[in-house]
Amino acid sequence: MRTLITNGTIVGATGSQVADVLVDGETIAAIGSGLAAAGLAADETIDASGRYVLPGAIDVHTHMELPFGGTFAKDTFETGTRAAAFGGTTTIVDFAVQSRGRSLRDGLDAWHAKAEGHAVIDYGFHMIMSDVNAETLKEMDTLVAEGIPDFKLFTAYPGVFYSDDGQIYRAMQRTALNGGLIMIHAENGMAIDVVAEDEVRAGHTDPYYHGVARYPIFEGEATNRTIRLAEAAGVPLYIVHLSAREALNEVRAARDRGSRVYAETCPQYLFLSLDDMADGFNGAKFVCSPPLRTADHQAELWTGLIKDDLQVVATDHCPFDFHGQKELGLGDFRKIPNGLPGVEDRVDLLHDGGVLAGHLTRERWVEVISTAPARMFGLYPRKGVVAVGSDADLVIYDPAAKHTISAKTHHMDVDYSCYEGRSVTGRSDVVMSRGEVVVRDGAFSGAPGRGKFLRRSPSAYAREN
Ligand code: URP
Ligand code: ZN
Ligand code: ZN
């Protein structure tokens, strides 16, 4: 199958140009002006005049079916990747989970079983390590060799995913040898639990107090601490879901002194705030960790993205229904499962609230949602760029189309939207995954199971830039 996309504006991290793109099979075969006139025949021609041609977006932080707080994140690999495709995302990197007392292998096998035969777009895995010990340290080497070269450790969630400084440092030492990358959920979970207990004792049980108890300084402290550990171990570090200026200041300071420290933020920290949580139990819809911050943090996160102290915007997609799941925390905010839906909305939110609002150029938009994640996580140039030889993961994007985000129309399997009623400009009209149209004009045409597991190489980028 050959598809010719004509006259679109190809937007890339380094610039934009009006040109045609010829897709042959699963990859991009040619890029240039007048490819049809030059006699390059195709089975289908799509006129992209007035629209963008983007590399498919890459979401490097999702949690399909994550076990959390006595329940499971609602989206499966089928529903979650389908929703991602509707939103212009053609690759996800999800977090496989090692349960306490089990091996990394068990966790990884479970995640392969969840995804294989179900995902509709390509996917890779990072590994959550909840138990750093002699055995799991050895297993890290095997996983790196199998294309799972990143390991998320937590300074939060004592008793669940939490690792102490010694365990984190041991894992860092290992990546100095095996080339892997440590990702950190940086919040001081021990201190947070103390404040949360005090709040509940004072009768403050509403979801709002989840946000109150997780002080920004607890995020700043854990960010600084783990950066210093990475510096001592001589390894790069990637901070996930950075939300607060206190944490950004630590990342910036580390980068200014020459350390290879990278960070992602998420749409919820750019567009939502603690005020959204101040609505009785409805605030549970916005319970995630780190929590939503006061709105004054947002301007600094935008500056971080502009100045490249933040390199990636990912979603941390981890959806729980309001009814039946978030409600587990009625009467005690500590029992609300942590996480928000978002895999479908990232591209449009960042276009509308980033590009059109004047924070980002359209090229930087593409960089933070696609190219930088591909580079950071060993997928570039197969993904993340419109280039000859790259996978034909392409989005024909209408930058003028308006729509309203709503749970009534979204494709994520969750009963609410954090952005309910928000009108956005910009929409993915046609989404191709390895040369196959999977979404066209609001209709899905992909098949469950067509998505392939991506064996990723260790991030050379994180060590060299
Ligand atoms: O609240 C969140 N972020 N839930 C998902 C798990 C995590 O910490 O990323
Ligand atoms: Zn986390
Ligand atoms: Zn997460």
Side-chain angles (χ1 to χ4, degrees):
M1 172 85 181
R2 282 157 71 95
T3 307
L4 187 58
I5 303 168
T6 58
N7 294 313
T9 301
I10 302 171
V11 183
T14 52
S16 303
Q17 55 162 332
V18 175
D20 303 336
V21 178
L22 180 70
V23 174
D24 192 354
E26 297 197 343
T27 56
I28 297 171
I31 298 172
S33 308
L35 293 187
L40 290 180
D43 303 295
E44 186 189 1
T45 299
I46 303 174
D47 178 12
S49 305
R51 296 185 284 178
Y52 297 156
V53 179
L54 312 174
I58 300 171
D59 191 343
V60 291
H61 193 146
T62 67
H63 299 283
M64 305 306 170
E65 302 175 53
L66 176 77
F68 198 108
T71 185
F72 286 83
K74 188 92 184 303
D75 267 317
T76 61
F77 273 83
E78 181 174 339
T79 62
T81 57
R82 187 165 165 270
F86 271 103
T89 290
T90 53
T91 301
I92 62 163
V93 187
D94 200 83
F95 286 86
V97 179
Q98 178 215 5
S99 310
R100 278 257 156 103
R102 308 284 293 272
S103 63
L104 299 189
R105 171 67 56 203
D106 282 353
L108 181 60
D109 286 350
W111 247 255
H112 274 300
K114 286 176 203 271
E116 208 181 318
H118 302 285
V120 308
I121 55 170
D122 292 350
Y123 59 93
F125 298 133
H126 317 285
M127 189 80 218
I128 285 180
M129 284 182 81
S130 345
D131 220 348
V132 179
N133 57 46
E135 287 310 309
T136 57
L137 285 166
K138 262 190 245 147
E139 283 191 284
M140 288 173 83
D141 303 351
T142 323
L143 262 64
V144 171
E146 287 180 22
I148 297 108
D150 331 298
F151 304 88
K152 182 180 178 189
L153 288 101
F154 295 71
T155 59
Y157 308 136
V160 187
F161 295 134
Y162 175 87
S163 291
D164 66 27
D165 292 353
Q167 291 169 318
I168 291 171
Y169 192 65
R170 277 272 178 239
M172 286 175 172
Q173 286 178 321
R174 199 78 188 193
T175 60
L177 301 172
N178 66 24
L181 179 66
I182 298 292
M183 312 169 81
I184 293 281
H185 176 137
E187 292 185 286
N188 188 321
M190 295 290 194
I192 286 166
D193 278 5
V194 170
V195 181
E197 194 181 322
D198 289 350
E199 293 292 353
V200 171
R201 278 224 186 95
H204 299 155
T205 58
D206 271 358
Y208 180 74
Y209 293 95
H210 168 89
V212 169
R214 306 182 85 92
Y215 298 165
I217 198 168
F218 292 153
E219 187 181 342
E221 183 277 327
T223 303
N224 174 57
R225 178 164 31 107
T226 51
I227 286 173
R228 289 302 194 175
L229 292 175
E231 288 173 344
V235 294
L237 186 67
Y238 182 89
I239 305 289
V240 297
H241 48 44
L242 186 148
S243 73
R245 78 161 66 77
E246 285 79 352
L248 178 58
N249 289 343
E250 299 299 344
V251 169
R252 186 187 306 113
R255 291 174 62 78
D256 286 351
R257 62 180 177 262
S259 296
R260 292 194 167 91
V261 173
Y262 308 93
E264 73 182 19
T265 190
C266 310
Q268 52 269 34
Y269 304 121
L270 296 165
F271 299 112
L272 302 172
S273 77
L274 192 57
D275 290 347
D276 291 294
M277 300 182 72
D279 182 18
F281 194 73
N282 235 356
K285 293 176 179 170
F286 302 93
V287 165
C288 59
S289 295
L292 303 183
R293 302 299 184 189
T294 50
D296 51 295
H297 289 256
Q298 292 169 1
E300 299 192 38
L301 297 181
W302 285 114
T303 305
L305 283 170
I306 292 162
K307 296 179 79 171
D308 204 38
D309 288 318
L310 299 172
Q311 295 76 35
V312 170
V313 179
T315 61
D316 196 7
H317 176 75
C318 188
F320 298 98
D321 275 343
F322 179 67
H323 296 294
Q325 292 192 295
K326 292 286 188 180
E327 283 172 348
L328 293 168
L330 271 166
D332 185 344
F333 66 81
R334 295 172 299 181
K335 298 191 175 134
I336 301 170
N338 287 202
L340 309 183
V343 75
E344 189 168 353
D345 302 321
R346 177 183 62 132
V347 173
D348 297 340
L349 284 169
L350 266 289
H351 180 262
D352 180 75
V355 179
L356 299 183
H359 295 297
L360 305 176
T361 62
R362 62 189 180 184
E363 289 77 17
R364 181 66 178 152
W365 167 58
V366 166
E367 187 164 26
V368 300
I369 60 172
S370 179
T371 312
R375 284 198 189 111
M376 193 75 71
F377 292 102
L379 291 167
Y380 189 89
R382 178 170 175 193
K383 311 280 191 192
V385 61
V386 180
V388 172
S390 295
D391 280 358
D393 287 5
L394 296 168
V395 175
I396 300 178
Y397 195 82
D398 183 344
K402 290 185 193 305
H403 66 110
T404 301
I405 298 177
S406 172
K408 293 191 190 78
T409 47
H410 74 200
H411 302 87
M412 299 176 284
D413 184 20
V414 59
D415 66 0
Y416 75 97
S417 169
C418 292
Y419 305 97
E420 187 66 40
R422 186 183 175 116
S423 165
V424 288
T425 301
R427 189 178 54 210
S428 302
D429 283 349
V430 180
V431 180
M432 292 177 98
S433 165
R434 278 182 286 100
E436 181 186 345
V437 172
V438 291
V439 172
R440 191 192 302 253
D441 300 330
F444 184 69
S445 52
R450 64 165 301 290
K452 285 189 183 155
F453 170 66
L454 298 164
R455 277 179 91 102
R456 295 176 298 110
S457 34
S459 179
Y461 179 83
R463 285 182 155 67
E464 287 161 11
N465 285 275

